[in-house]
């Protein structure tokens, strides 16, 4: 399906309506992709997020993109992997579903996702990619407002996993 693309690269450089962040529940600048997004967006991003206050796991919040090429950021809070028995799969699925629902409500038509939860949060990469691709396929099938979903992956291993699925 050509509305889904896999791109190897840096999500902060993507020219789309919204990039998705792998945020933490406090919505405080952290490491990994979150740190990269905060550095590229600039300090006004943290000020806006402090006003929002936080976000539950499996859900997401919208902010402006500030100095990014993308005008919006969707901050998703992925689950920390605790071995698979703590509802991690359902919560990861919920991240992708809620990000697409938020995009739809705000007229966002192109968006870029990182591999949420698969870095510091330890979610197994293959299973996470299967969930991401299945949810996005499912949602795009019932929604023609969203024109493009780009999976932006940072390393060759993750790129290979996504390319085999898309
Ligand atoms: P989490 O805490 O949700 O696990 P991480 O940021 O640690 O989030 O990792 C999520 C994924 O994002 C990992 O696959 C990591 O390699 C990737 N990543 C890190 N920096 C970037 C970036 N600038 N662009 C795209 N992906 C990135």
């Amino acid at each position: 399906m050509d509305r889904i693309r896999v791109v190897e690269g840096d999500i902060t450089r993507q020219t789309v309506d919204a990039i998705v962040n792998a945020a933490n529940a406090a919505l405080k600048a952290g490491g990994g992709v979150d740190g990269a997004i905060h550095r590229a967006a600039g300090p006004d991003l943290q000020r806006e997020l402090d006003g929002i206050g936080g976000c539950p796991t499996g859900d997401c919040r919208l902010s402006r993109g500030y100095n990014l090429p993308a005008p919006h950021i969707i901050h998703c809070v992925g689950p920390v992997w605790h071995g698979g028995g703590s509802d991690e799969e359902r919560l990861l699925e919920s991240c992708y579903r809620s990000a697409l629902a938020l995009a739809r409500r705000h007229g966002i038509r192109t968006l870029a996702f990182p591999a949420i939860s698969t870095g510091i949060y330890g979610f197994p990469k293959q299973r996470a990619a299967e969930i991401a691709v299945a949810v996005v396929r499912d949602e795009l099938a019932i929604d023609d407002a969203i024109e493009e979903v780009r999976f932006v992956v940072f390393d060759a291993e993750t790129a290979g996993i996504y390319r085999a699925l898309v």
Side-chain angles (χ1 to χ4, degrees):
M1 189 199 288
D2 59 3
R3 288 157 75 203
I4 304 180
R5 287 177 56 202
V6 181
V7 173
E8 207 175 325
D10 181 351
I11 201 163
T12 66
R13 309 292 296 274
Q14 304 299 311
T15 304
V16 285
D17 295 339
I19 65 167
V20 177
N21 183 17
N24 51 60
L27 299 180
K28 295 288 185 196
V33 70
D34 185 46
I37 289 172
H38 275 267
R39 281 190 298 277
D44 287 341
L45 171 59
Q46 188 61 64
R47 279 191 272 279
E48 183 178 352
L49 294 177
D50 287 345
I52 297 171
C55 176
T57 303
D59 206 347
C60 61
R61 297 289 181 267
L62 184 69
S63 79
R64 294 173 53 193
Y66 298 96
N67 298 333
L68 295 174
H72 303 287
I73 306 168
I74 296 173
H75 303 266
C76 282
V77 181
V80 177
W81 182 257
H82 291 295
S86 305
D87 231 11
E88 294 95 327
E89 296 200 344
R90 188 191 62 79
L91 289 165
L92 187 64
E93 186 179 320
S94 167
C95 279
Y96 286 92
R97 235 180 256 290
S98 56
L100 291 164
L102 188 65
R104 203 176 291 131
R105 286 201 300 277
H106 290 272
I108 289 164
R109 300 170 78 88
T110 56
L111 66 171
F113 280 101
I116 299 169
S117 285
T118 67
I120 300 158
Y121 281 6
F123 203 110
K125 291 175 194 290
Q126 175 71 37
R127 188 68 196 116
E130 287 167 5
I131 290 169
V133 172
V135 173
V136 168
R137 278 220 172 99
D138 203 35
E139 292 284 322
L140 291 191
I142 55 158
D143 178 358
D144 52 16
I146 293 176
E147 289 166 5
E148 183 187 324
V149 172
R150 205 177 283 181
F151 291 112
V152 181
V153 293
F154 213 43
D155 61 278
E157 184 200 352
T158 308
I161 291 172
Y162 273 88
R163 291 209 172 97
L165 293 169
V166 168

